[in-house]
């Protein structure tokens, strides 16, 4: 792993697993790093330690400048704003910071899930600011990781290929010029529809939780990926086929979920999706959630399945499995996910044709 010193100020929004992993690595790489989180307890502990240690697949330590519960302080004069919260928080964050953004700041959603950059830009546009802001989204988080404790993160795996795109796509090269000296895994996507259609997690997460609902409710622990069965893997592939069909309507041919597991992680073997899920070392120790009211549903349905279904509707592509997942998860958790999710209206795309949608993101 080569590290090149940088002279960049980075604001990490969110001090969860991914946020602390990014903060530790970017600080180690020479960036001036400050972290925002809502938890005063977590912020206090980070300020006490002033460092984040990464262990496992990486063994490095990065010194941070400070942590804060004041998001406006965190983003002030930052060159890069790395948003590593759940995707469901993107809208709230955009509303909070829109009028306080500065010229030429780069926003990276880590990851954007489906339609993240579109939702973020729509909110900034509504706010009426005229500053030159670069908005982008990554296809997925760079790391498979888990917090051991505040300031100490277990890096289970490091992805070697992560697509990234700006909105509009013409800004992507500028963002890569800033990020590439720090990360070697980012590659330019065609546009944010490609990164959105590459939301593989939305294919895995809700299906595994939904079809293990009784096991989770009984409190029986299991490994989320390693305990995959052939039947559930088959359902995931059928679900994934709807994603591929929607993408095709927008002239994209994204990698399948089965092939992505081997593409994103080096050395994964297996002929089937089930085998690849079971044989991926980065997935070995990841346990299932202890409740069905978990981000694998509360995040992946509104920011993954719903926008994919909505983009399908705009293109005249039927998505019965997506729609069933939305309905079943809404009933199961007694929530109206359609009301809170990334609909075409919330993405600023309502009433647009496929051609018009593509034109808006170039």
């Amino acid at each position: 792993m080569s590290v090149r010193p940088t002279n960049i100020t980075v604001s990490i929004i969110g001090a969860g697993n991914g946020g602390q992993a990014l903060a530790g690595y970017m600080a180690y790489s020479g960036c001036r790093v400050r972290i925002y989180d809502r938890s005063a307890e977590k912020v206090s502990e980070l300020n006490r330690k002033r460092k984040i240690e990464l262990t496992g697949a990486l063994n490095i330590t990065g010194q941070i400048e400070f942590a804060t519960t004041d998001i406006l302080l965190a983003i002030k004069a930052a060159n890069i704003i790395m948003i590593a919260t759940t995707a469901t928080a993107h809208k709230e964050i955009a509303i909070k910071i829109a009028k306080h953004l500065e010229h030429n700041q780069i926003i990276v959603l880590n990851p954007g899930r489906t339609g993240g950059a579109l939702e973020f830009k729509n909110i900034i546009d509504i706010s009426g600011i005229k500053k030159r802001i670069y908005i982008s989204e990554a296809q997925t988080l760079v790391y498979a990781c888990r917090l051991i404790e505040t300031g100490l993160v277990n890096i289970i795996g490091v992805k070697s290929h992560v697509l990234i795109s700006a909105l509009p796509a013409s800004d992507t090269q500028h963002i890569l010029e800033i990020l590439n000296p720090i990360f070697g895994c980012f590659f330019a996507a065609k546009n944010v529809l490609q990164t959105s259609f590459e939301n593989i997690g939305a294919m895995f997460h809700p299906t595994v939780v939904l079809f293990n609902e009784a096991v989770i409710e009984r409190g029986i622990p299991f490994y989320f990926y390693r305990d995959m069965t052939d039947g559930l893997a088959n359902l995931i592939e059928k679900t994934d086929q709807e994603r591929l069909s929607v993408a095709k309507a927008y002239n994209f041919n994204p990698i399948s979920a089965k092939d992505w597991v081997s593409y994103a992680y080096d050395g994964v073997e297996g002929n089937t999706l089930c085998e690849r899920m079971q044989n991926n070392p980065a997935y070995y120790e990841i346990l299932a959630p202890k409740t069905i009211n978990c981000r694998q549903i509360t995040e992946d349905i509104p920011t993954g399945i719903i926008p994919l279904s909505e983009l399908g509707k705009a293109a005249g592509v039927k998505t019965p499995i997506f729609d069933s997942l939305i309905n079943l998860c809404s009933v199961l958790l007694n929530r109206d996910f359609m009301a809170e999710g990334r609909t075409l209206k919330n993405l600023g795309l309502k009433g647009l044709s496929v051609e018009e949608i593509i034109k808006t993101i170039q």
Side-chain angles (χ1 to χ4, degrees), residues 181-199:
I182 308 168
F183 296 97
C185 61
F186 285 123
F187 294 85
K190 185 176 180 181
N191 55 43
V192 293
L193 282 182
Q194 184 176 11
T195 49
S196 288
F197 289 138
E198 295 283 357
N199 183 1

Side-chain angles (χ1 to χ4, degrees), residues 155-303:
I155 304 298
I156 302 166
V158 181
K159 298 181 179 74
S160 55
H161 297 83
V162 177
L163 291 173
I164 191 168
S165 177
L167 179 62
S170 55
D171 288 340
T172 300
Q173 190 55 43
H174 170 72
I175 289 170
L176 283 174
E177 288 171 359
I178 304 299
L179 292 179
N180 276 343
I182 308 168
F183 296 97
C185 61
F186 285 123
F187 294 85
K190 185 176 180 181
N191 55 43
V192 293
L193 282 182
Q194 184 176 11
T195 49
S196 288
F197 289 138
E198 295 283 357
N199 183 1
I200 306 294
M203 304 301 100
F204 297 150
H205 300 158
T207 47
V208 174
V209 172
L210 185 60
F211 286 88
N212 284 282
E213 186 274 342
V215 177
I216 293 171
E217 289 280 274
R218 291 191 184 107
I220 302 172
F222 67 94
Y223 290 104
F224 195 81
Y225 300 101
R226 183 150 53 106
D227 286 335
M228 180 65 58
T229 63
D230 288 325
L232 186 50
N234 180 62
L235 173 64
I236 290 172
E237 290 197 272
K238 291 291 196 304
T239 306
D240 191 48
Q241 188 56 54
E242 293 193 351
R243 176 182 66 92
L244 299 177
S245 296
V246 174
K248 185 177 180 181
Y250 290 83
N251 302 317
F252 284 101
N253 185 29
I255 191 170
S256 69
K258 172 187 169 183
D259 291 338
W260 178 84
V261 177
S262 297
Y263 173 78
Y265 298 97
D266 292 332
V268 175
E269 298 180 354
N271 295 321
T272 67
L273 172 62
C274 186
E275 290 172 351
R276 293 179 185 183
M277 298 284 268
Q278 293 171 337
N279 295 336
N280 186 350
Y283 289 165
Y284 280 173
E285 303 304 317
I286 298 178
L287 288 166
K290 296 180 179 180
T291 172
I292 58 171
N293 189 14
C294 57
R295 62 182 295 180
Q296 288 86 350
I297 287 182
T298 61
E299 178 178 22
D300 284 291
I301 292 296
T303 68

Side-chain angles (χ1 to χ4, degrees), residues 24-182:
Y25 178 77
M26 296 187 83
Y28 172 76
S29 301
C31 298
R32 295 184 296 270
V33 174
R34 69 278 295 265
I35 305 172
Y36 161 80
D37 197 83
R38 294 182 300 180
S39 169
E41 180 180 357
K42 191 176 292 185
V43 163
S44 177
E45 183 66 6
L46 286 169
N47 280 327
R48 185 184 70 81
K49 291 184 174 181
R50 288 297 171 108
K51 65 180 182 179
I52 295 178
E53 180 183 354
L54 308 185
T55 187
L58 296 176
N59 285 283
I60 59 177
T61 299
Q63 302 289 330
I64 66 169
E65 282 197 330
F66 63 85
T68 179
T69 56
D70 183 345
I71 195 169
L72 301 185
L73 176 62
I75 68 169
K76 185 175 178 60
N79 303 105
I80 303 173
I81 301 171
M82 302 284 275
I83 299 178
T85 62
T86 60
T88 48
H90 291 170
K91 182 177 181 179
E92 177 186 352
I93 291 167
I95 291 170
K96 284 183 177 179
I97 71 174
K99 294 185 178 180
H100 302 275
L101 293 170
E102 301 168 24
H103 281 294
N104 297 318
Q105 285 186 310
I106 293 173
I107 295 169
V108 186
L109 303 178
N110 290 270
R113 299 303 179 191
T114 300
L118 285 161
E119 180 183 55
F120 212 95
K121 185 176 185 300
N122 188 47
I123 292 168
I124 289 178
D125 288 345
I126 291 171
S127 73
I129 68 167
K130 303 299 181 183
K131 298 172 184 174
R132 182 65 167 99
I133 307 298
Y134 295 88
I135 302 171
S136 64
E137 66 177 31
Q139 166 213 359
T140 185
L141 189 67
V142 174
Y143 308 110
C145 56
R146 289 292 182 271
L147 275 176
I148 298 172
E149 61 183 47
T150 298
L152 178 61
V153 188
N154 179 28
I155 304 298
I156 302 166
V158 181
K159 298 181 179 74
S160 55
H161 297 83
V162 177
L163 291 173
I164 191 168
S165 177
L167 179 62
S170 55
D171 288 340
T172 300
Q173 190 55 43
H174 170 72
I175 289 170
L176 283 174
E177 288 171 359
I178 304 299
L179 292 179
N180 276 343
I182 308 168

